[in-house]
Amino acid sequence: MQHIAILASGGGSNAQKIIEHFSGHSSIKVVIIISNKKNSGVLTISKKHNIPSHIIDSKVQLSSVEFIALLEKNQIDLIVLAGFLLKIPEELIHQYPNKIINIHPSLLPKFGGKGMYGLHVHNAVIKGKEKQSGITIHYVNNKYDEGGIIFQEACILSKEETPETLQKKVLVLEHKNYAKVIERLLSR
Ligand code: GRF
Protein backbone atom coordinates (compact mmCIF):
# COMPACT_ATOMS: atom_id res chain seq x y z
CA MET A 1 0.00 0.00 0.00
CA GLN A 2 1.16 3.55 -0.78
CA HIS A 3 0.11 6.07 1.83
CA ILE A 4 -1.14 9.63 1.28
CA ALA A 5 -1.32 12.44 3.84
CA ILE A 6 -3.64 15.31 2.90
CA LEU A 7 -2.93 18.76 4.35
CA ALA A 8 -5.85 21.18 4.11
CA SER A 9 -7.01 24.37 5.82
CA GLY A 10 -10.46 24.89 4.36
CA GLY A 11 -13.66 23.31 3.18
CA GLY A 12 -11.87 20.29 1.81
CA SER A 13 -13.82 19.62 -1.39
CA ASN A 14 -10.61 18.44 -3.10
CA ALA A 15 -9.75 16.28 -0.09
CA GLN A 16 -13.20 14.72 -0.29
CA LYS A 17 -12.78 13.89 -4.00
CA ILE A 18 -9.36 12.35 -3.35
CA ILE A 19 -10.68 10.26 -0.43
CA GLU A 20 -13.61 9.04 -2.55
CA HIS A 21 -11.35 8.23 -5.49
CA PHE A 22 -9.04 6.04 -3.40
CA SER A 23 -11.66 4.46 -1.18
CA GLY A 24 -11.37 0.72 -1.79
CA HIS A 25 -8.29 1.21 -4.02
CA SER A 26 -6.03 -1.83 -4.14
CA SER A 27 -2.70 -0.06 -3.63
CA ILE A 28 -3.24 3.58 -2.56
CA LYS A 29 -4.78 4.83 0.67
CA VAL A 30 -5.41 8.22 2.32
CA VAL A 31 -4.21 7.50 5.86
CA ILE A 32 -4.27 10.88 7.59
CA ILE A 33 -5.76 14.37 7.24
CA ILE A 34 -3.76 17.21 8.72
CA SER A 35 -5.22 20.67 9.24
CA ASN A 36 -4.12 23.92 10.84
CA LYS A 37 -7.72 25.00 11.45
CA LYS A 38 -9.68 23.38 14.27
CA ASN A 39 -13.06 24.04 12.69
CA SER A 40 -12.24 23.37 9.06
CA GLY A 41 -14.70 21.46 6.91
CA VAL A 42 -11.99 18.98 6.01
CA LEU A 43 -12.04 17.65 9.59
CA THR A 44 -15.75 16.87 9.27
CA ILE A 45 -14.96 15.03 6.04
CA SER A 46 -12.18 13.02 7.70
CA LYS A 47 -14.56 11.99 10.50
CA LYS A 48 -17.24 10.99 8.01
CA HIS A 49 -14.77 8.73 6.20
CA ASN A 50 -13.12 7.42 9.37
CA ILE A 51 -9.72 8.81 8.47
CA PRO A 52 -7.55 9.87 11.43
CA SER A 53 -6.89 13.58 11.64
CA HIS A 54 -4.23 15.71 13.24
CA ILE A 55 -4.25 19.42 14.07
CA ILE A 56 -1.22 21.66 14.04
CA ASP A 57 -1.27 25.32 14.93
CA SER A 58 1.77 26.81 13.31
CA LYS A 59 4.26 26.48 10.50
CA VAL A 60 7.00 25.68 13.03
CA GLN A 61 5.30 22.42 13.90
CA LEU A 62 5.59 21.23 10.31
CA SER A 63 9.34 20.89 10.66
CA SER A 64 9.31 19.54 14.20
CA VAL A 65 10.72 16.15 15.10
CA GLU A 66 7.25 15.13 16.34
CA PHE A 67 5.59 16.00 13.02
CA ILE A 68 8.18 14.17 10.92
CA ALA A 69 7.78 11.21 13.30
CA LEU A 70 4.01 11.29 12.74
CA LEU A 71 4.55 11.11 8.96
CA GLU A 72 7.09 8.33 9.36
CA LYS A 73 4.81 6.36 11.67
CA ASN A 74 2.13 6.56 8.99
CA GLN A 75 4.66 5.56 6.29
CA ILE A 76 3.70 8.47 4.07
CA ASP A 77 4.71 8.21 0.41
CA LEU A 78 3.05 11.42 -0.82
CA ILE A 79 2.01 14.63 0.93
CA VAL A 80 -0.91 16.24 -0.88
CA LEU A 81 -1.71 19.90 -0.21
CA ALA A 82 -5.34 20.69 -0.92
CA GLY A 83 -6.04 24.28 0.05
CA PHE A 84 -3.36 24.35 2.75
CA LEU A 85 -2.44 27.91 3.64
CA LEU A 86 0.71 27.51 5.76
CA LYS A 87 4.06 27.67 3.97
CA ILE A 88 5.87 24.35 3.90
CA PRO A 89 9.22 24.72 5.69
CA GLU A 90 12.44 23.70 3.95
CA GLU A 91 13.17 20.96 6.48
CA LEU A 92 10.02 19.13 5.44
CA ILE A 93 10.78 19.63 1.73
CA HIS A 94 14.22 18.08 2.31
CA GLN A 95 12.70 15.13 4.16
CA TYR A 96 10.21 14.52 1.33
CA PRO A 97 11.95 15.53 -1.92
CA ASN A 98 9.48 15.50 -4.85
CA LYS A 99 6.95 13.92 -2.54
CA ILE A 100 4.94 17.04 -1.70
CA ILE A 101 2.47 18.33 -4.28
CA ASN A 102 0.00 21.21 -4.44
CA ILE A 103 -2.89 22.32 -6.59
CA HIS A 104 -3.18 25.98 -7.59
CA PRO A 105 -6.24 27.57 -9.20
CA SER A 106 -4.48 29.33 -12.11
CA LEU A 107 -2.15 28.54 -14.97
CA LEU A 108 1.19 29.01 -13.20
CA PRO A 109 3.56 30.82 -13.45
CA LYS A 110 0.77 33.36 -13.92
CA PHE A 111 -1.13 34.45 -10.81
CA GLY A 112 0.90 32.55 -8.22
CA GLY A 113 2.95 33.62 -5.21
CA LYS A 114 2.28 34.97 -1.76
CA GLY A 115 -1.27 36.21 -1.23
CA MET A 116 -2.51 34.50 -4.38
CA TYR A 117 -5.18 32.17 -3.06
CA GLY A 118 -8.96 31.83 -3.31
CA LEU A 119 -10.80 34.71 -4.93
CA HIS A 120 -7.62 36.86 -5.01
CA VAL A 121 -6.42 34.67 -7.86
CA HIS A 122 -9.63 34.87 -9.88
CA ASN A 123 -9.97 38.63 -9.29
CA ALA A 124 -6.47 39.14 -10.68
CA VAL A 125 -7.16 36.93 -13.71
CA ILE A 126 -10.26 38.95 -14.59
CA LYS A 127 -8.56 42.29 -13.96
CA GLY A 128 -5.70 41.14 -16.18
CA LYS A 129 -8.25 40.55 -18.99
CA GLU A 130 -6.99 36.99 -19.46
CA LYS A 131 -8.75 34.88 -22.07
CA GLN A 132 -8.13 31.68 -20.16
CA SER A 133 -7.34 30.37 -16.71
CA GLY A 134 -7.16 26.87 -15.25
CA ILE A 135 -5.37 24.66 -12.76
CA THR A 136 -1.78 23.71 -12.04
CA ILE A 137 -0.65 20.67 -10.07
CA HIS A 138 3.00 21.09 -9.08
CA TYR A 139 5.75 19.92 -6.77
CA VAL A 140 6.30 22.07 -3.70
CA ASN A 141 9.65 23.77 -3.29
CA ASN A 142 10.76 26.58 -0.99
CA LYS A 143 9.09 29.33 -3.07
CA TYR A 144 5.32 29.74 -3.21
CA ASP A 145 3.90 28.14 -6.39
CA GLU A 146 7.28 27.80 -8.13
CA GLY A 147 7.97 24.05 -7.96
CA GLY A 148 8.07 21.89 -11.10
CA ILE A 149 4.78 21.65 -12.95
CA ILE A 150 3.23 18.18 -13.15
CA PHE A 151 -0.09 18.93 -14.86
CA GLN A 152 -2.17 21.84 -16.16
CA GLU A 153 -5.62 22.16 -17.68
CA ALA A 154 -7.09 25.37 -19.03
CA CYS A 155 -10.59 26.75 -19.26
CA ILE A 156 -11.85 29.66 -21.37
CA LEU A 157 -13.27 32.76 -19.69
CA SER A 158 -16.70 33.86 -20.86
CA LYS A 159 -17.49 37.54 -21.51
CA GLU A 160 -19.62 37.66 -18.36
CA GLU A 161 -17.12 35.83 -16.15
CA THR A 162 -16.92 37.01 -12.53
CA PRO A 163 -14.37 35.87 -9.91
CA GLU A 164 -17.09 33.72 -8.36
CA THR A 165 -18.14 31.99 -11.62
CA LEU A 166 -14.48 31.47 -12.53
CA GLN A 167 -13.79 29.93 -9.12
CA LYS A 168 -16.56 27.40 -9.73
CA LYS A 169 -15.32 26.62 -13.24
CA VAL A 170 -11.77 26.06 -12.00
CA LEU A 171 -12.93 23.91 -9.06
CA VAL A 172 -14.61 21.54 -11.53
CA LEU A 173 -11.21 21.05 -13.20
CA GLU A 174 -9.57 20.47 -9.81
CA HIS A 175 -12.10 17.80 -8.85
CA LYS A 176 -11.79 16.14 -12.24
CA ASN A 177 -8.00 15.91 -12.21
CA TYR A 178 -6.30 15.97 -8.80
CA ALA A 179 -6.95 12.37 -7.73
CA LYS A 180 -6.13 11.02 -11.21
CA VAL A 181 -2.80 12.86 -11.28
CA ILE A 182 -1.97 11.54 -7.78
CA GLU A 183 -2.78 8.01 -8.94
CA ARG A 184 -0.53 8.40 -11.97
CA LEU A 185 2.34 9.73 -9.82
CA LEU A 186 2.07 6.87 -7.35
CA SER A 187 1.75 4.23 -10.07
CA ARG A 188 5.03 5.10 -11.77
C1 GRF B 1 -8.62 25.13 -4.26
O1 GRF B 1 -9.09 26.12 -5.11
C2 GRF B 1 -7.15 24.89 -4.52
O2 GRF B 1 -6.75 25.18 -5.81
C3 GRF B 1 -6.49 25.84 -3.59
O3 GRF B 1 -7.32 25.89 -2.46
C4 GRF B 1 -8.66 25.56 -2.82
C5 GRF B 1 -9.12 24.47 -1.89
O4 GRF B 1 -10.49 24.22 -2.02
N1 GRF B 1 -5.12 25.46 -3.34
P1 GRF B 1 -11.17 23.04 -1.20
O5 GRF B 1 -10.93 23.31 0.29
O6 GRF B 1 -10.56 21.77 -1.64
O7 GRF B 1 -12.62 23.13 -1.54
Side-chain angles (χ1 to χ4, degrees):
M1 270 288 173
Q2 304 222 63
H3 289 175
I4 296 172
I6 298 180
L7 273 62
S9 309
S13 70
N14 278 286
Q16 168 136 16
K17 289 283 169 193
I18 295 165
I19 292 166
E20 284 167 2
H21 183 92
F22 292 111
S23 132
H25 194 282
S26 59
S27 60
I28 300 171
K29 192 174 178 196
V30 177
V31 294
I32 189 164
I33 305 284
I34 294 158
S35 181
N36 63 315
K37 295 258 168 75
K38 261 191 222 141
N39 300 317
S40 53
V42 73
L43 293 176
T44 315
I45 293 170
S46 73
K47 249 189 224 136
K48 191 174 132 202
H49 292 270
N50 282 321
I51 298 175
S53 60
H54 181 83
I55 297 170
I56 47 161
D57 56 25
S58 78
K59 176 189 145 185
V60 179
Q61 280 178 291
L62 291 172
S63 54
S64 68
V65 174
E66 292 81 8
F67 187 72
I68 306 270
L70 175 76
L71 296 177
E72 281 171 356
K73 189 181 114 200
N74 282 282
Q75 300 179 323
I76 299 303
D77 297 289
L78 189 69
I79 298 174
V80 171
L81 310 187
F84 188 64
L85 293 177
L86 293 181
K87 193 160 193 284
I88 302 299
E90 277 194 36
E91 294 86 339
L92 191 57
I93 296 168
H94 283 304
Q95 290 281 341
Y96 286 86
N98 282 341
K99 287 181 174 176
I100 310 177
I101 64 169
N102 181 41
I103 188 161
H104 184 81
S106 79
L107 295 173
L108 291 173
K110 284 186 163 184
F111 306 104
K114 199 164 195 294
M116 276 293 170
Y117 63 89
L119 282 173
H120 298 292
V121 177
H122 307 299
N123 269 317
V125 169
I126 286 173
K127 265 202 185 144
K129 302 209 184 321
E130 295 290 315
K131 292 198 168 54
Q132 58 171 12
S133 189
I135 63 163
T136 303
I137 297 169
H138 63 94
Y139 290 108
V140 172
N141 68 8
N142 56 358
K143 295 206 178 120
Y144 268 119
D145 303 327
E146 289 187 20
I149 291 174
I150 302 164
F151 176 89
Q152 292 187 302
E153 187 171 337
C155 58
I156 304 296
L157 268 69
S158 74
K159 290 210 174 71
E160 308 75 39
E161 205 76 56
T162 65
E164 288 76 15
T165 60
L166 182 56
Q167 186 174 43
K168 282 196 189 125
K169 221 183 230 184
V170 167
L171 202 58
V172 171
L173 293 183
E174 296 188 18
H175 293 168
K176 178 182 142 204
N177 290 295
Y178 207 7
K180 283 189 198 159
V181 170
I182 293 168
E183 186 166 16
R184 237 178 285 145
L185 277 180
L186 287 175
S187 308
R188 272 183 191 168

